[in-house]
């Protein structure tokens, strides 16, 4: 595979600050929100919005620069900022604590609000390019 080493490097360079920012934001919001999973929810929604915006803006980038930028920013940074595994573990914790309503609310709101945020970001990027 041509470029797989440089692709991995781009993803890694983007992932480190994304994970660091997620850690800071979730820890900063933990005392404010009633449960830590709502901090994860907020970070994931922000990442969805920003990913939609970036993907929309990348459409205007020349093809030869698009893939490296997508790997660095979309896959690396925003993939690391958002966290599916933490989201799933937090859902599991709610289910184990016998709080299925909270788990369902968290799951559904994460999917619906995440999709809406991604669409809003994409739409904003599309409007700014028009």
């Amino acid at each position: 595979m041509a470029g797989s080493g440089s692709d991995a490097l781009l993803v890694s360079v983007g992932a480190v600050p994304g994970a660091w920012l997620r850690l800071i934001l979730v820890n900063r919001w933990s005392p404010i929100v009633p449960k830590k999973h709502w901090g994860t929810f907020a970070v994931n929604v922000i990442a969805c919005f920003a990913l939609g915006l970036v993907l929309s803006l990348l459409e205007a980038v020349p093809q030869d620069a698009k893939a490296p930028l997508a790997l660095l920013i979309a896959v690396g940074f925003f993939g690391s900022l958002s966290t599916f595994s933490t989201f799933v573990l937090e859902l599991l914790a709610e289910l184990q604590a016998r709080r299925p309503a909270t788990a369902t609310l968290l799951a559904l709101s994460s999917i619906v609000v995440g999709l809406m945020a991604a669409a809003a970001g994409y739409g904003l990027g599309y409007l700014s390019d028009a």
Side-chain angles (χ1 to χ4, degrees):
M1 286 175 107
S4 62
S6 61
D7 290 354
L9 181 62
L10 284 169
V11 171
S12 298
V13 168
V16 170
W20 175 78
L21 181 59
R22 179 187 64 223
L23 178 69
I24 287 175
L25 291 174
V26 170
N27 286 340
R28 180 124 341 169
W29 289 335
S30 287
I32 300 167
V33 294
K35 295 282 272 176
K36 189 173 183 174
H37 60 245
W38 293 114
T40 302
F41 168 82
V43 168
N44 285 346
V45 170
I46 290 167
C48 288
F49 174 83
L51 185 56
L53 177 63
V54 166
L55 291 178
S56 177
L57 294 174
L58 281 176
E59 289 185 11
V61 172
Q63 193 62 34
D64 59 334
K66 189 179 295 189
L69 285 172
L71 287 171
L72 176 70
I73 300 169
V75 177
F77 184 79
F78 290 119
S80 186
L81 177 64
S82 63
T83 173
F84 184 73
S85 57
T86 301
F87 163 68
V88 169
L89 287 177
E90 290 170 348
L91 284 177
L92 180 61
E94 290 302 312
L95 291 171
Q96 289 174 330
R98 300 186 193 282
R99 292 189 289 261
T102 300
T104 301
L105 175 65
L106 181 60
L108 291 176
S109 61
S110 293
I111 292 167
V112 171
V113 175
L115 283 170
M116 290 171 46
Y122 192 88
L124 181 64
Y126 179 77
L127 289 175
S128 71
D129 194 38

